[in-house]
Amino acid sequence: MTLSFYEYMGRCLYDPEHGYYASGAVTFGKGEHFWTYPQRLRPLFGWMVAEAARALFTRLVESGKVPNDAPLTLLELGAGNGDLAHDALQYIVEHEQSAPWAPLRGRVRYVVGELSAALRVRQCEKLQPFIASGRAEVRALDARELSWDGPFYGVLVANELIDAFPCELLQVAAVDRVERTCVRAVRGGAELDGDELWAALKEGVGDDEIRLSETTEPLSAWPGGVPDSLVEYLRTLAPLIHDLDACGLLPVELCWAPDLPNFVHHVAKLLTGDGSVGAALFIDYGGTSRHVLDPRSSAPHLRVYGPDGARAHTRTVLRDPGAYDLTWDVDFTELARLALAAGLRVPFFGHQSALEAAPIDLWSRASQRLLILGRSREGVENNFQATLEAHELVQRFRQAAGFRLMALSHPNLSFPEQRFGLADLYCEAGLSTLKLGVGHEELVAALESAGIDPELAEHLKPCGDPVADACDRRLYGKRQALLEVLAGWLVEPGAL
Ligand SMILES: C[S@@+](CC[C@H](N)C(=O)[O-])C[C@H]1O[C@@H](n2cnc3c(N)ncnc32)[C@H](O)[C@@H]1O
């Protein structure tokens, strides 16, 4: 008797009493379990999201598809401790009287959709004044079963939501040799199923009495047969798996979220169904299929965060269920593929730093002052140190490898590509990945001959997502030349 990894992870995170998120065991912030960019860059991350939403709301209003005076919704799914919601909404309320916001004045409301009851309490506390004035609402909502009453006119935003969906952990040895990791729980010689294991954990039975171990099973043993959506996913990955095989990089681990197809289906319905019109911004760690398959990109792709600064691979995944966050790198190629199949457009894929656009400039004196103030609030007393840390945060936000933004939209919504700085760099290019086997020397020589600093070759590791990285500020001015250099070496997403 074994538990699928999906069931194990789902219970670890969302068991109503014992789940890491559901119980509120999670702590956010510097020195806490984890520290996401909406918190690190407070309040500026919220401001950037508010400005991105303004650009999209303006297009919505101009589209003529939104009835006059209908409310415009900024829907955030999986809002953590509510910092992003608070900062974005405060910015909106404070700027409503300014000219750029005039067409939207008084029309924007913020809705948080959150699965964790404990986090909803924290979010309500943080948003209390906005809730009291009718500008914000916190709803009990499972994003994977997202539903909306009536037409939706708005923007959906989610930072680090998808990486928290429970996943299956697959071991890929070849295209036709894929196994899944399962969890075996034994207490006093007897094997436990999921209900028995969690009942024991709730009784306070400790690690010393319950033995958890990993085991693998062939896909053919999948109860009820391998889900069609997984068969389809593996089919699209086959060329990449062959490529990895040819380079001697197999076996690899692969995380696959069974709920992702259903989630995308609901997002498509939200943005396009029933006269709705909207766009979605997903910010998360991960990359293209190449990135999440290649063990050299940012392995481990399944990670653990928790009380003791844990950041480890599957071997600690079984420690103290419910006390740690389990999370994985999102495959944005798969997200795009599902979105396109559901009738959505994918107008943007690139680095998260594309969120930073006028009028927000993280290097400006005003922004730096806010970030330095944030460091002081965290207890950094030395002003020089606080200034250094503020600089470092901005650099990290702009350059951290593997932090991505993907936009999805109604097919007829004219997306403000210019706002995202990408009029000439389309999603197709961003989702392309570099062929394996391109040597470092070849890359350096090609960059040099195109007049690009060969040091970039360090950044453009063959296992990375070079074109998506070209949206990184350091590379931005060079992206056209870069695309030309890389053109012959790219695997188009259509080939996946
Ligand atoms: C990694 S945290 C990110 C929190 C916040 N967005 C941030 O960036 O600080 C994941 C958040 O998503 C929520 N969540 C996870 N699965 C969810 C689901 N299916 N529906 C709604 N919320 C979910 C968690 O409870 C938590 O608030």
Side-chain angles (χ1 to χ4, degrees), residues 124-184:
C124 284
E125 279 167 11
K126 194 149 285 173
L127 296 176
Q128 208 285 322
F130 300 118
I131 293 172
S133 64
R135 297 300 295 262
E137 186 190 335
V138 175
R139 291 189 189 172
L141 188 151
D142 185 339
R144 297 164 297 173
E145 299 298 335
L146 177 61
S147 67
W148 196 261
D149 279 340
F152 175 81
Y153 307 116
V155 177
L156 185 171
V157 64
N159 188 68
E160 298 193 16
L161 165 77
I162 297 175
D163 68 64
F165 286 174
C167 67
E168 292 285 4
L169 184 59
L170 305 172
Q171 310 297 329
V172 181
V175 167
D176 54 358
R177 268 195 298 134
V178 180
E179 298 200 317
R180 68 169 180 160
T181 298
C182 295
V183 176
R184 170 168 286 130

Side-chain angles (χ1 to χ4, degrees), residues 35-57:
W35 195 30
T36 60
Y37 279 103
Q39 296 143 24
R40 290 174 190 225
L41 295 179
R42 283 200 79 185
L44 296 157
F45 194 98
W47 295 9
M48 291 189 285
V49 166
E51 280 294 341
R54 182 182 63 77
L56 289 161
F57 285 142

Side-chain angles (χ1 to χ4, degrees), residues 226-248:
V226 186
D228 290 346
S229 47
L230 176 56
V231 172
E232 182 61 15
Y233 182 42
L234 291 174
R235 196 188 58 73
T236 67
L237 294 182
L240 283 174
I241 297 172
H242 279 305
D243 209 2
L244 287 168
D245 201 8
C247 293

Side-chain angles (χ1 to χ4, degrees), residues 26 47 95 167-168 173 181 200 203 214 230 236 284 302 331 466:
V26 51
W47 295 9
H95 285 77
C167 67
E168 292 285 4
T181 298
E203 281 167 26
E214 283 173 44
L230 176 56
T236 67
D284 223 314
L302 175 73
D331 182 345

Side-chain angles (χ1 to χ4, degrees), residues 14 21-22 26 28 34-39 76-84 113-116 119 123 141-145 158-161 163-166 285 325 327:
Y14 306 111
Y21 284 111
V26 51
F28 298 92
F34 51 81
W35 195 30
T36 60
Y37 279 103
Q39 296 143 24
E76 184 185 355
L77 297 176
N81 63 357
D83 285 342
L84 167 56
E114 172 60 56
L115 184 59
S116 157
L119 289 179
Q123 293 155 4
L141 188 151
D142 185 339
R144 297 164 297 173
E145 299 298 335
N159 188 68
E160 298 193 16
L161 165 77
D163 68 64
F165 286 174
Y285 32 73
D325 184 28
T327 178

Side-chain angles (χ1 to χ4, degrees), residues 357-396:
I360 312 288
D361 172 2
L362 296 177
W363 274 143
S364 71
R365 288 170 73 94
S367 297
Q368 284 295 310
R369 261 201 306 277
L370 286 166
L371 292 173
I372 291 167
L373 196 66
R375 309 296 66 80
S376 314
R377 288 208 185 101
E378 284 159 9
V380 181
E381 284 171 13
N382 179 319
N383 196 41
F384 179 67
Q385 181 64 25
T387 308
L388 272 184
E389 287 189 19
H391 269 68
E392 206 180 291
L393 276 181
V394 173
Q395 255 164 348
R396 282 217 196 125

